[in-house]
Amino acid sequence: MPETTAATAADGTTGTAPPKRSLGTGPGRLLVALYGVFTVAAASRSLYQLLAQFDRAPLAYSLSALSAVVYGFILFSLVRGGEGARRAALACCALELLGVLGVGTWTLLDPSAFPDATVWSDYGMGYLFIPVILPVTGLLWLRRARTEQPADRVRN
């Protein structure tokens, strides 16, 4: 059930603040599903690699673990909803896009630094380029979700 909170205006009238709008509704459901899959995939892959093969490619495996944390935080924010969560998810999607572009470029310029692939290697080529498409889609959705927010206060 959506949360509502009572708010008192400067003129003494009270109203009810709008319920938290879930960011995972409508087209956001696809983002929730994809971020859920990528969180599990990146976390399980990096956990195994960090435990069993860390000495082989520590940078790649650490970056995969970082991507799992970013994916998980965005997933949590999308499910939580509300303006604060939307802003946090927006910042993380921007960070994710920078990570994908940075690591993708790095893997092309210096392949020897990555003896094993990360989620973000070659711009996510091993994951059908979804890692580079996902943050762009997330940024667009989160920007749109802001403009669709109901009024800040509903008066009685």
Side-chain angles (χ1 to χ4, degrees), residues 93-109 119-124 129 131-133 135-136 139:
C93 282
L95 174 68
E96 175 191 2
L97 182 59
L98 287 174
V100 172
L101 295 176
V103 171
T105 302
W106 191 0
T107 56
L108 293 177
L109 295 176
V119 175
W120 294 342
S121 293
D122 303 316
Y123 307 107
F129 296 103
V132 77
I133 296 168
V136 172
L139 289 167

Side-chain angles (χ1 to χ4, degrees), residues 47-74:
L47 182 62
Y48 169 76
Q49 290 171 325
L50 287 170
L51 293 174
Q53 305 168 332
F54 182 75
D55 56 330
R56 185 170 145 192
L59 177 62
Y61 303 152
S62 298
L63 287 171
S64 287
L66 175 64
S67 70
V69 171
V70 172
Y71 292 145
F73 188 81
I74 294 169

